Short mmCIF file of all heavy atoms in Angstrom, two decimals:
data_model
loop_
_atom_site.label_atom_id
_atom_site.label_comp_id
_atom_site.label_asym_id
_atom_site.label_seq_id
_atom_site.Cartn_x
_atom_site.Cartn_y
_atom_site.Cartn_z
N MET A 27 0.83 -1.16 0.00
CA MET A 27 0.00 0.00 0.00
C MET A 27 0.88 1.24 0.00
O MET A 27 1.81 1.36 0.76
CB MET A 27 -0.90 -0.01 1.24
CG MET A 27 -1.76 1.21 1.31
SD MET A 27 -2.54 1.58 2.90
CE MET A 27 -3.61 0.23 3.17
N ASN A 28 0.56 2.17 -0.86
CA ASN A 28 1.31 3.42 -0.96
C ASN A 28 0.68 4.44 -0.03
O ASN A 28 -0.49 4.74 -0.13
CB ASN A 28 1.28 3.91 -2.41
CG ASN A 28 2.20 5.09 -2.61
OD1 ASN A 28 2.96 5.44 -1.74
ND2 ASN A 28 2.11 5.68 -3.78
N ARG A 29 1.44 4.96 0.91
CA ARG A 29 0.91 5.93 1.87
C ARG A 29 1.43 7.32 1.52
O ARG A 29 2.59 7.51 1.23
CB ARG A 29 1.31 5.56 3.28
CG ARG A 29 0.69 4.27 3.71
CD ARG A 29 1.03 3.98 5.13
NE ARG A 29 0.47 2.69 5.47
CZ ARG A 29 -0.27 2.46 6.52
NH1 ARG A 29 -0.52 3.41 7.36
NH2 ARG A 29 -0.75 1.26 6.75
N ILE A 30 0.53 8.27 1.63
CA ILE A 30 0.88 9.66 1.41
C ILE A 30 0.87 10.35 2.77
O ILE A 30 -0.12 10.28 3.50
CB ILE A 30 -0.13 10.35 0.46
CG1 ILE A 30 -0.14 9.65 -0.89
CG2 ILE A 30 0.18 11.83 0.33
CD1 ILE A 30 -1.22 10.12 -1.82
N GLU A 31 1.97 10.96 3.13
CA GLU A 31 2.03 11.66 4.40
C GLU A 31 1.36 13.03 4.25
O GLU A 31 1.62 13.75 3.31
CB GLU A 31 3.47 11.82 4.84
CG GLU A 31 4.09 10.51 5.26
CD GLU A 31 5.43 10.70 5.93
OE1 GLU A 31 5.61 11.73 6.62
OE2 GLU A 31 6.27 9.82 5.76
N LYS A 32 0.49 13.34 5.19
CA LYS A 32 -0.20 14.61 5.19
C LYS A 32 -0.46 15.02 6.63
O LYS A 32 -0.62 14.18 7.50
CB LYS A 32 -1.53 14.50 4.43
CG LYS A 32 -2.22 15.81 4.26
CD LYS A 32 -3.36 15.73 3.29
CE LYS A 32 -3.96 17.11 3.17
NZ LYS A 32 -5.00 17.20 2.20
N SER A 33 -0.52 16.28 6.86
CA SER A 33 -0.75 16.79 8.20
C SER A 33 -2.22 17.19 8.36
O SER A 33 -2.81 17.78 7.45
CB SER A 33 0.14 18.01 8.43
OG SER A 33 -0.12 18.58 9.68
N TYR A 34 -2.81 16.84 9.50
CA TYR A 34 -4.18 17.20 9.82
C TYR A 34 -4.22 17.91 11.16
O TYR A 34 -3.40 17.67 12.03
CB TYR A 34 -5.07 15.94 9.90
CG TYR A 34 -5.16 15.21 8.60
CD1 TYR A 34 -4.35 14.11 8.33
CD2 TYR A 34 -6.04 15.63 7.61
CE1 TYR A 34 -4.43 13.45 7.12
CE2 TYR A 34 -6.13 14.98 6.40
CZ TYR A 34 -5.32 13.88 6.16
OH TYR A 34 -5.40 13.23 4.96
N ASP A 35 -5.20 18.77 11.33
CA ASP A 35 -5.41 19.43 12.62
C ASP A 35 -6.03 18.46 13.61
O ASP A 35 -5.70 18.46 14.79
CB ASP A 35 -6.32 20.65 12.47
CG ASP A 35 -5.74 21.70 11.55
OD1 ASP A 35 -4.51 21.94 11.61
OD2 ASP A 35 -6.50 22.29 10.76
N VAL A 36 -6.97 17.65 13.12
CA VAL A 36 -7.70 16.69 13.96
C VAL A 36 -7.88 15.39 13.21
O VAL A 36 -8.16 15.39 12.01
CB VAL A 36 -9.10 17.25 14.35
CG1 VAL A 36 -9.92 16.22 15.11
CG2 VAL A 36 -8.97 18.53 15.15
N ILE A 37 -7.73 14.29 13.92
CA ILE A 37 -8.04 12.97 13.36
C ILE A 37 -9.20 12.41 14.17
O ILE A 37 -9.12 12.31 15.40
CB ILE A 37 -6.83 12.03 13.42
CG1 ILE A 37 -5.71 12.57 12.54
CG2 ILE A 37 -7.23 10.61 12.99
CD1 ILE A 37 -4.43 11.80 12.60
N VAL A 38 -10.28 12.05 13.49
CA VAL A 38 -11.45 11.47 14.13
C VAL A 38 -11.38 9.96 13.98
O VAL A 38 -11.23 9.46 12.86
CB VAL A 38 -12.76 12.02 13.50
CG1 VAL A 38 -13.98 11.33 14.08
CG2 VAL A 38 -12.85 13.53 13.68
N ALA A 39 -11.48 9.25 15.08
CA ALA A 39 -11.42 7.79 15.06
C ALA A 39 -12.84 7.24 15.00
O ALA A 39 -13.60 7.34 15.95
CB ALA A 39 -10.71 7.27 16.30
N GLY A 40 -13.20 6.69 13.84
CA GLY A 40 -14.49 6.05 13.67
C GLY A 40 -15.42 6.83 12.77
O GLY A 40 -15.61 8.03 12.92
N ALA A 41 -16.01 6.12 11.80
CA ALA A 41 -16.93 6.73 10.84
C ALA A 41 -18.37 6.39 11.15
O ALA A 41 -19.20 6.26 10.26
CB ALA A 41 -16.56 6.30 9.43
N GLY A 42 -18.68 6.25 12.43
CA GLY A 42 -20.07 6.07 12.85
C GLY A 42 -20.77 7.42 12.85
O GLY A 42 -20.20 8.44 12.46
N PRO A 43 -22.01 7.47 13.32
CA PRO A 43 -22.76 8.73 13.31
C PRO A 43 -22.08 9.87 14.07
O PRO A 43 -22.04 11.00 13.61
CB PRO A 43 -24.09 8.38 13.97
CG PRO A 43 -24.18 6.91 13.96
CD PRO A 43 -22.80 6.37 13.84
N THR A 44 -21.51 9.56 15.23
CA THR A 44 -20.87 10.60 16.04
C THR A 44 -19.61 11.11 15.36
O THR A 44 -19.39 12.33 15.27
CB THR A 44 -20.55 10.07 17.44
OG1 THR A 44 -21.76 9.61 18.04
CG2 THR A 44 -19.92 11.13 18.31
N GLY A 45 -18.77 10.20 14.88
CA GLY A 45 -17.53 10.60 14.22
C GLY A 45 -17.78 11.41 12.97
O GLY A 45 -17.10 12.42 12.72
N LEU A 46 -18.76 11.00 12.17
CA LEU A 46 -19.05 11.73 10.94
C LEU A 46 -19.60 13.12 11.22
O LEU A 46 -19.23 14.10 10.57
CB LEU A 46 -20.02 10.93 10.07
CG LEU A 46 -19.46 9.65 9.48
CD1 LEU A 46 -20.55 8.90 8.71
CD2 LEU A 46 -18.28 9.93 8.57
N MET A 47 -20.50 13.21 12.21
CA MET A 47 -21.06 14.52 12.55
C MET A 47 -19.98 15.45 13.09
O MET A 47 -19.91 16.62 12.73
CB MET A 47 -22.20 14.36 13.55
CG MET A 47 -22.99 15.62 13.79
SD MET A 47 -23.89 16.07 12.29
CE MET A 47 -24.68 17.57 12.83
N LEU A 48 -19.11 14.90 13.94
CA LEU A 48 -18.01 15.70 14.47
C LEU A 48 -17.11 16.20 13.34
O LEU A 48 -16.75 17.38 13.29
CB LEU A 48 -17.18 14.89 15.47
CG LEU A 48 -15.91 15.56 15.99
CD1 LEU A 48 -16.23 16.86 16.72
CD2 LEU A 48 -15.15 14.59 16.88
N ALA A 49 -16.76 15.31 12.43
CA ALA A 49 -15.91 15.69 11.30
C ALA A 49 -16.57 16.77 10.45
O ALA A 49 -15.91 17.73 10.03
CB ALA A 49 -15.58 14.47 10.45
N CYS A 50 -17.86 16.66 10.22
CA CYS A 50 -18.58 17.68 9.44
C CYS A 50 -18.58 19.03 10.14
O CYS A 50 -18.35 20.07 9.51
CB CYS A 50 -20.02 17.23 9.17
SG CYS A 50 -20.16 15.88 8.00
N GLU A 51 -18.84 19.03 11.44
CA GLU A 51 -18.84 20.28 12.20
C GLU A 51 -17.45 20.93 12.19
O GLU A 51 -17.33 22.14 12.03
CB GLU A 51 -19.30 20.03 13.64
CG GLU A 51 -20.78 19.71 13.76
CD GLU A 51 -21.67 20.87 13.33
OE1 GLU A 51 -21.42 22.02 13.75
OE2 GLU A 51 -22.62 20.62 12.58
N LEU A 52 -16.42 20.12 12.36
CA LEU A 52 -15.06 20.65 12.33
C LEU A 52 -14.74 21.24 10.96
O LEU A 52 -14.15 22.31 10.84
CB LEU A 52 -14.05 19.56 12.70
CG LEU A 52 -14.07 19.12 14.16
CD1 LEU A 52 -13.23 17.85 14.33
CD2 LEU A 52 -13.57 20.22 15.06
N LYS A 53 -15.11 20.52 9.90
CA LYS A 53 -14.84 20.98 8.54
C LYS A 53 -15.54 22.31 8.25
O LYS A 53 -14.99 23.19 7.60
CB LYS A 53 -15.27 19.91 7.55
CG LYS A 53 -14.75 20.11 6.16
CD LYS A 53 -13.27 19.92 6.12
CE LYS A 53 -12.77 20.00 4.70
NZ LYS A 53 -11.32 20.05 4.64
N LEU A 54 -16.79 22.46 8.76
CA LEU A 54 -17.51 23.72 8.58
C LEU A 54 -16.79 24.89 9.24
O LEU A 54 -16.96 26.04 8.82
CB LEU A 54 -18.92 23.60 9.16
CG LEU A 54 -19.91 22.77 8.33
CD1 LEU A 54 -21.19 22.53 9.13
CD2 LEU A 54 -20.21 23.44 7.01
N GLN A 55 -15.97 24.61 10.25
CA GLN A 55 -15.20 25.64 10.93
C GLN A 55 -13.81 25.82 10.33
O GLN A 55 -12.97 26.53 10.87
CB GLN A 55 -15.09 25.31 12.42
CG GLN A 55 -16.41 25.31 13.14
CD GLN A 55 -17.14 26.64 13.04
OE1 GLN A 55 -16.53 27.69 13.20
NE2 GLN A 55 -18.41 26.60 12.73
N GLY A 56 -13.54 25.13 9.22
CA GLY A 56 -12.27 25.29 8.53
C GLY A 56 -11.14 24.43 9.08
O GLY A 56 -9.98 24.67 8.76
N VAL A 57 -11.48 23.44 9.88
CA VAL A 57 -10.46 22.55 10.45
C VAL A 57 -10.10 21.49 9.43
O VAL A 57 -10.99 20.91 8.79
CB VAL A 57 -10.99 21.89 11.76
CG1 VAL A 57 -9.99 20.90 12.30
CG2 VAL A 57 -11.30 22.97 12.79
N ASN A 58 -8.83 21.21 9.27
CA ASN A 58 -8.36 20.16 8.38
C ASN A 58 -8.48 18.83 9.13
O ASN A 58 -7.72 18.55 10.04
CB ASN A 58 -6.91 20.43 7.97
CG ASN A 58 -6.42 19.48 6.91
OD1 ASN A 58 -7.19 18.74 6.32
ND2 ASN A 58 -5.13 19.49 6.68
N VAL A 59 -9.47 18.03 8.76
CA VAL A 59 -9.81 16.82 9.52
C VAL A 59 -9.70 15.57 8.67
O VAL A 59 -9.98 15.60 7.47
CB VAL A 59 -11.23 16.96 10.13
CG1 VAL A 59 -12.29 17.11 9.07
CG2 VAL A 59 -11.56 15.82 11.05
N ALA A 60 -9.29 14.48 9.30
CA ALA A 60 -9.25 13.17 8.65
C ALA A 60 -10.08 12.21 9.50
O ALA A 60 -10.12 12.31 10.73
CB ALA A 60 -7.83 12.65 8.54
N ILE A 61 -10.77 11.28 8.84
CA ILE A 61 -11.55 10.25 9.54
C ILE A 61 -10.88 8.92 9.30
O ILE A 61 -10.63 8.54 8.16
CB ILE A 61 -13.00 10.20 9.01
CG1 ILE A 61 -13.66 11.58 9.12
CG2 ILE A 61 -13.80 9.14 9.76
CD1 ILE A 61 -14.98 11.67 8.39
N LEU A 62 -10.60 8.20 10.38
CA LEU A 62 -10.03 6.86 10.28
C LEU A 62 -11.07 5.85 10.70
O LEU A 62 -11.69 5.98 11.75
CB LEU A 62 -8.79 6.73 11.18
CG LEU A 62 -7.64 7.69 10.90
CD1 LEU A 62 -6.49 7.40 11.85
CD2 LEU A 62 -7.17 7.59 9.46
N GLU A 63 -11.27 4.83 9.89
CA GLU A 63 -12.23 3.76 10.18
C GLU A 63 -11.53 2.43 10.03
O GLU A 63 -10.89 2.17 9.01
CB GLU A 63 -13.43 3.87 9.22
CG GLU A 63 -14.43 2.75 9.33
CD GLU A 63 -15.01 2.60 10.73
OE1 GLU A 63 -15.49 3.59 11.30
OE2 GLU A 63 -14.96 1.47 11.24
N ARG A 64 -11.62 1.57 11.03
CA ARG A 64 -10.91 0.29 10.99
C ARG A 64 -11.58 -0.75 10.10
O ARG A 64 -10.95 -1.66 9.61
CB ARG A 64 -10.72 -0.26 12.40
CG ARG A 64 -11.99 -0.66 13.09
CD ARG A 64 -11.69 -1.20 14.49
NE ARG A 64 -12.86 -1.21 15.32
CZ ARG A 64 -13.73 -2.22 15.37
NH1 ARG A 64 -13.55 -3.29 14.64
NH2 ARG A 64 -14.80 -2.14 16.14
N ARG A 65 -12.89 -0.61 9.87
CA ARG A 65 -13.59 -1.57 9.01
C ARG A 65 -13.36 -1.24 7.55
O ARG A 65 -13.54 -0.10 7.13
CB ARG A 65 -15.09 -1.55 9.32
CG ARG A 65 -15.39 -2.13 10.70
CD ARG A 65 -16.78 -1.77 11.10
NE ARG A 65 -16.73 -0.36 11.51
CZ ARG A 65 -17.48 0.16 12.46
NH1 ARG A 65 -18.37 -0.58 13.08
NH2 ARG A 65 -17.37 1.42 12.80
N SER A 66 -12.97 -2.22 6.77
CA SER A 66 -12.64 -1.97 5.37
C SER A 66 -13.84 -1.49 4.56
O SER A 66 -13.69 -0.78 3.58
CB SER A 66 -12.03 -3.22 4.74
OG SER A 66 -12.96 -4.29 4.81
N ASN A 67 -15.05 -1.88 4.95
CA ASN A 67 -16.25 -1.46 4.23
C ASN A 67 -16.94 -0.27 4.89
O ASN A 67 -18.05 0.08 4.52
CB ASN A 67 -17.25 -2.61 4.14
CG ASN A 67 -16.75 -3.73 3.27
OD1 ASN A 67 -15.96 -3.51 2.36
ND2 ASN A 67 -17.17 -4.94 3.55
N GLY A 68 -16.30 0.32 5.86
CA GLY A 68 -16.91 1.45 6.55
C GLY A 68 -18.11 1.01 7.38
O GLY A 68 -18.16 -0.12 7.85
N THR A 69 -19.08 1.89 7.52
CA THR A 69 -20.26 1.59 8.33
C THR A 69 -21.53 1.54 7.50
O THR A 69 -22.62 1.57 8.05
CB THR A 69 -20.41 2.63 9.45
OG1 THR A 69 -20.58 3.92 8.86
CG2 THR A 69 -19.21 2.66 10.39
N THR A 70 -21.42 1.47 6.20
CA THR A 70 -22.61 1.52 5.35
C THR A 70 -23.47 0.27 5.40
O THR A 70 -24.63 0.31 5.05
CB THR A 70 -22.23 1.79 3.88
OG1 THR A 70 -21.36 0.74 3.43
CG2 THR A 70 -21.55 3.13 3.73
N SER A 71 -22.93 -0.85 5.85
CA SER A 71 -23.70 -2.09 5.85
C SER A 71 -24.34 -2.38 7.20
O SER A 71 -24.90 -3.44 7.39
CB SER A 71 -22.78 -3.26 5.46
OG SER A 71 -21.75 -3.41 6.42
N GLU A 72 -24.28 -1.44 8.13
CA GLU A 72 -24.88 -1.67 9.44
C GLU A 72 -25.57 -0.41 9.93
O GLU A 72 -25.22 0.69 9.55
CB GLU A 72 -23.81 -2.09 10.45
CG GLU A 72 -22.74 -1.03 10.66
CD GLU A 72 -21.65 -1.49 11.60
OE1 GLU A 72 -20.77 -2.22 11.17
OE2 GLU A 72 -21.71 -1.10 12.77
N SER A 73 -26.55 -0.60 10.76
CA SER A 73 -27.25 0.53 11.34
C SER A 73 -26.63 0.85 12.68
O SER A 73 -26.69 0.07 13.62
CB SER A 73 -28.74 0.22 11.52
OG SER A 73 -29.36 1.30 12.17
N ARG A 74 -26.00 1.99 12.78
CA ARG A 74 -25.39 2.42 14.04
C ARG A 74 -26.28 3.44 14.74
O ARG A 74 -25.99 3.86 15.84
CB ARG A 74 -24.02 3.04 13.76
CG ARG A 74 -23.06 2.19 12.99
CD ARG A 74 -22.17 1.27 13.79
NE ARG A 74 -21.61 1.77 15.00
CZ ARG A 74 -20.44 2.39 15.13
NH1 ARG A 74 -19.70 2.64 14.08
NH2 ARG A 74 -20.00 2.75 16.31
N ALA A 75 -27.33 3.88 14.09
CA ALA A 75 -28.23 4.87 14.68
C ALA A 75 -29.67 4.53 14.34
O ALA A 75 -30.27 5.11 13.45
CB ALA A 75 -27.87 6.26 14.16
N PRO A 76 -30.25 3.54 15.04
CA PRO A 76 -31.62 3.12 14.71
C PRO A 76 -32.67 4.17 15.04
O PRO A 76 -33.78 4.11 14.54
CB PRO A 76 -31.81 1.87 15.56
CG PRO A 76 -30.85 2.01 16.69
CD PRO A 76 -29.69 2.77 16.14
N GLY A 77 -32.33 5.13 15.86
CA GLY A 77 -33.25 6.21 16.20
C GLY A 77 -32.50 7.51 16.38
O GLY A 77 -31.29 7.52 16.58
N ILE A 78 -33.19 8.60 16.28
CA ILE A 78 -32.59 9.91 16.44
C ILE A 78 -33.27 10.58 17.63
O ILE A 78 -34.50 10.74 17.63
CB ILE A 78 -32.75 10.76 15.17
CG1 ILE A 78 -32.03 10.09 14.00
CG2 ILE A 78 -32.23 12.17 15.39
CD1 ILE A 78 -32.24 10.77 12.67
N ASN A 79 -32.50 10.97 18.61
CA ASN A 79 -33.09 11.57 19.81
C ASN A 79 -33.32 13.07 19.63
O ASN A 79 -32.90 13.67 18.63
CB ASN A 79 -32.25 11.26 21.06
CG ASN A 79 -30.87 11.85 20.99
OD1 ASN A 79 -30.66 12.91 20.42
ND2 ASN A 79 -29.90 11.18 21.57
N SER A 80 -33.98 13.67 20.62
CA SER A 80 -34.35 15.08 20.49
C SER A 80 -33.14 16.01 20.43
O SER A 80 -33.17 17.02 19.71
CB SER A 80 -35.27 15.49 21.64
OG SER A 80 -34.64 15.26 22.88
N ARG A 81 -32.08 15.70 21.15
CA ARG A 81 -30.88 16.56 21.11
C ARG A 81 -30.26 16.55 19.72
O ARG A 81 -29.82 17.58 19.21
CB ARG A 81 -29.85 16.09 22.15
CG ARG A 81 -28.61 16.93 22.18
CD ARG A 81 -28.90 18.38 22.57
NE ARG A 81 -27.67 19.17 22.49
CZ ARG A 81 -27.57 20.35 21.92
NH1 ARG A 81 -28.63 20.92 21.40
NH2 ARG A 81 -26.44 20.98 21.87
N THR A 82 -30.24 15.37 19.09
CA THR A 82 -29.72 15.28 17.73
C THR A 82 -30.58 16.09 16.77
O THR A 82 -30.06 16.79 15.89
CB THR A 82 -29.65 13.81 17.29
OG1 THR A 82 -28.83 13.09 18.21
CG2 THR A 82 -29.09 13.68 15.88
N MET A 83 -31.89 16.04 16.96
CA MET A 83 -32.78 16.83 16.11
C MET A 83 -32.52 18.34 16.29
O MET A 83 -32.61 19.10 15.33
CB MET A 83 -34.24 16.51 16.41
CG MET A 83 -34.64 15.10 15.98
SD MET A 83 -34.47 14.80 14.21
CE MET A 83 -35.94 15.59 13.60
N GLU A 84 -32.17 18.76 17.51
CA GLU A 84 -31.82 20.16 17.74
C GLU A 84 -30.58 20.55 16.93
O GLU A 84 -30.53 21.64 16.35
CB GLU A 84 -31.56 20.41 19.22
CG GLU A 84 -32.80 20.33 20.08
CD GLU A 84 -32.48 20.42 21.57
OE1 GLU A 84 -31.32 20.68 21.93
OE2 GLU A 84 -33.40 20.22 22.37
N ILE A 85 -29.60 19.66 16.91
CA ILE A 85 -28.38 19.93 16.13
C ILE A 85 -28.72 19.98 14.64
O ILE A 85 -28.26 20.87 13.92
CB ILE A 85 -27.31 18.85 16.39
CG1 ILE A 85 -26.94 18.81 17.88
CG2 ILE A 85 -26.09 19.05 15.50
CD1 ILE A 85 -26.28 20.06 18.40
N PHE A 86 -29.55 19.05 14.18
CA PHE A 86 -29.96 19.06 12.77
C PHE A 86 -30.71 20.35 12.44
O PHE A 86 -30.55 20.91 11.35
CB PHE A 86 -30.84 17.86 12.45
CG PHE A 86 -30.11 16.55 12.39
CD1 PHE A 86 -30.81 15.36 12.43
CD2 PHE A 86 -28.73 16.48 12.28
CE1 PHE A 86 -30.15 14.13 12.36
CE2 PHE A 86 -28.06 15.27 12.23
CZ PHE A 86 -28.77 14.10 12.26
N GLU A 87 -31.52 20.83 13.37
CA GLU A 87 -32.24 22.09 13.15
C GLU A 87 -31.26 23.25 13.01
O GLU A 87 -31.42 24.12 12.14
CB GLU A 87 -33.21 22.34 14.29
CG GLU A 87 -34.09 23.56 14.06
CD GLU A 87 -35.19 23.68 15.09
OE1 GLU A 87 -35.02 23.21 16.23
OE2 GLU A 87 -36.21 24.28 14.73
N MET A 88 -30.23 23.28 13.84
CA MET A 88 -29.22 24.33 13.75
C MET A 88 -28.52 24.33 12.39
O MET A 88 -28.09 25.37 11.91
CB MET A 88 -28.16 24.14 14.85
CG MET A 88 -28.67 24.45 16.24
SD MET A 88 -27.55 23.94 17.58
CE MET A 88 -25.96 24.49 17.03
N ARG A 89 -28.40 23.17 11.77
CA ARG A 89 -27.73 23.04 10.48
C ARG A 89 -28.70 23.06 9.30
O ARG A 89 -28.30 22.86 8.16
CB ARG A 89 -26.92 21.73 10.45
CG ARG A 89 -25.70 21.79 11.32
CD ARG A 89 -24.69 22.71 10.66
NE ARG A 89 -23.61 23.02 11.56
CZ ARG A 89 -23.08 24.22 11.66
NH1 ARG A 89 -23.55 25.20 10.94
NH2 ARG A 89 -22.09 24.44 12.49
N GLY A 90 -29.98 23.28 9.57
CA GLY A 90 -30.97 23.34 8.48
C GLY A 90 -31.33 21.98 7.90
O GLY A 90 -31.79 21.90 6.76
N LEU A 91 -31.13 20.93 8.67
CA LEU A 91 -31.38 19.57 8.18
C LEU A 91 -32.63 18.91 8.77
O LEU A 91 -33.02 17.84 8.34
CB LEU A 91 -30.17 18.67 8.51
CG LEU A 91 -28.83 19.09 7.94
CD1 LEU A 91 -27.71 18.27 8.56
CD2 LEU A 91 -28.84 18.95 6.44
N VAL A 92 -33.24 19.53 9.76
CA VAL A 92 -34.29 18.87 10.51
C VAL A 92 -35.50 18.49 9.65
O VAL A 92 -36.07 17.42 9.80
CB VAL A 92 -34.71 19.69 11.75
CG1 VAL A 92 -35.55 20.89 11.38
CG2 VAL A 92 -35.44 18.81 12.74
N ASN A 93 -35.91 19.35 8.73
CA ASN A 93 -37.09 19.05 7.91
C ASN A 93 -36.87 17.83 7.02
O ASN A 93 -37.79 17.04 6.81
CB ASN A 93 -37.50 20.26 7.07
CG ASN A 93 -38.07 21.36 7.93
OD1 ASN A 93 -38.62 21.10 9.00
ND2 ASN A 93 -37.93 22.59 7.49
N GLU A 94 -35.67 17.68 6.49
CA GLU A 94 -35.38 16.51 5.67
C GLU A 94 -35.48 15.22 6.50
O GLU A 94 -36.06 14.24 6.06
CB GLU A 94 -34.00 16.63 5.05
CG GLU A 94 -33.66 15.50 4.10
CD GLU A 94 -32.34 15.69 3.40
OE1 GLU A 94 -31.71 16.74 3.53
OE2 GLU A 94 -31.93 14.74 2.69
N PHE A 95 -34.93 15.25 7.69
CA PHE A 95 -35.01 14.06 8.55
C PHE A 95 -36.44 13.77 8.97
O PHE A 95 -36.88 12.63 9.01
CB PHE A 95 -34.10 14.21 9.77
CG PHE A 95 -32.68 13.86 9.47
CD1 PHE A 95 -31.80 14.81 8.96
CD2 PHE A 95 -32.21 12.58 9.65
CE1 PHE A 95 -30.50 14.49 8.66
CE2 PHE A 95 -30.89 12.24 9.36
CZ PHE A 95 -30.03 13.20 8.86
N LYS A 96 -37.21 14.83 9.28
CA LYS A 96 -38.61 14.63 9.67
C LYS A 96 -39.42 14.04 8.52
O LYS A 96 -40.29 13.18 8.74
CB LYS A 96 -39.23 15.96 10.12
CG LYS A 96 -38.84 16.34 11.52
CD LYS A 96 -39.57 17.62 11.92
CE LYS A 96 -39.28 18.01 13.34
NZ LYS A 96 -39.97 19.25 13.73
N SER A 97 -39.14 14.48 7.31
CA SER A 97 -39.92 14.00 6.17
C SER A 97 -39.59 12.54 5.83
O SER A 97 -40.43 11.82 5.31
CB SER A 97 -39.67 14.88 4.94
OG SER A 97 -38.36 14.69 4.42
N LEU A 98 -38.38 12.10 6.13
CA LEU A 98 -37.97 10.74 5.82
C LEU A 98 -38.19 9.77 6.98
O LEU A 98 -38.23 8.56 6.79
CB LEU A 98 -36.49 10.70 5.42
CG LEU A 98 -36.12 11.47 4.16
CD1 LEU A 98 -34.61 11.54 3.99
CD2 LEU A 98 -36.77 10.83 2.94
N GLY A 99 -38.32 10.32 8.19
CA GLY A 99 -38.41 9.49 9.38
C GLY A 99 -39.83 9.12 9.75
O GLY A 99 -40.80 9.54 9.15
N LYS A 100 -39.92 8.31 10.76
CA LYS A 100 -41.20 7.87 11.30
C LYS A 100 -41.19 8.13 12.81
O LYS A 100 -40.44 7.48 13.54
CB LYS A 100 -41.37 6.37 11.03
CG LYS A 100 -42.65 5.79 11.52
CD LYS A 100 -42.71 4.32 11.16
CE LYS A 100 -43.93 3.69 11.76
NZ LYS A 100 -43.97 2.24 11.49
N PRO A 101 -42.00 9.08 13.27
CA PRO A 101 -41.99 9.40 14.70
C PRO A 101 -42.44 8.20 15.55
O PRO A 101 -43.35 7.46 15.16
CB PRO A 101 -42.99 10.55 14.83
CG PRO A 101 -43.31 10.99 13.46
CD PRO A 101 -42.92 9.90 12.52
N LEU A 102 -41.83 8.06 16.69
CA LEU A 102 -42.21 7.01 17.63
C LEU A 102 -43.01 7.64 18.76
O LEU A 102 -42.76 8.77 19.16
CB LEU A 102 -40.96 6.33 18.21
CG LEU A 102 -40.07 5.61 17.21
CD1 LEU A 102 -38.81 5.11 17.89
CD2 LEU A 102 -40.81 4.45 16.58
N PRO A 103 -43.99 6.89 19.30
CA PRO A 103 -44.75 7.45 20.43
C PRO A 103 -43.84 7.69 21.63
O PRO A 103 -42.92 6.92 21.89
CB PRO A 103 -45.79 6.38 20.74
CG PRO A 103 -45.50 5.22 19.85
CD PRO A 103 -44.41 5.58 18.92
N ALA A 104 -44.10 8.77 22.35
CA ALA A 104 -43.25 9.14 23.48
C ALA A 104 -43.35 8.19 24.63
O ALA A 104 -44.24 7.58 24.98
CB ALA A 104 -43.57 10.54 23.95
#
């Protein structure tokens, strides 16, 4: 494997929901970020977030994403 050396401000360990959201937030602030995932296929073949809690929806609202998630999701009874 050919490796290219590069410098990053932050390295995020894990491409699950938390790692990806953190990396996106950092990138929006201009941080040079890299995501490292140990699984060769990433996390696309598994559900790591079967539900979205209210705090996450608040974050999505801050980023203008809440309506898209609401339209695609199915609310659960409280």
Side-chain angles (χ1 to χ4, degrees):
M27 178 196 297
N28 188 9
R29 295 184 184 231
I30 299 172
E31 290 190 33
K32 187 168 181 175
S33 176
Y34 297 98
D35 299 320
V36 174
I37 296 175
V38 175
T44 303
L46 292 176
M47 189 67 181
L48 174 61
C50 289
E51 289 296 314
L52 290 169
K53 194 68 174 170
L54 286 170
Q55 297 302 316
V57 176
N58 187 11
V59 62
I61 304 169
L62 301 181
E63 175 57 52
R64 67 179 163 87
R65 291 165 283 213
S66 60
N67 292 333
T69 61
T70 59
S71 63
E72 61 183 80
S73 176
R74 305 271 319 270
I78 298 174
N79 63 33
S80 58
R81 181 63 184 133
T82 303
M83 291 299 281
E84 290 173 8
I85 301 296
F86 288 164
E87 185 171 28
M88 289 169 46
R89 288 288 169 221
L91 301 170
V92 74
N93 290 333
E94 184 175 354
F95 278 87
K96 281 184 177 179
S97 71
L98 297 171
K100 180 178 175 183
L102 298 174

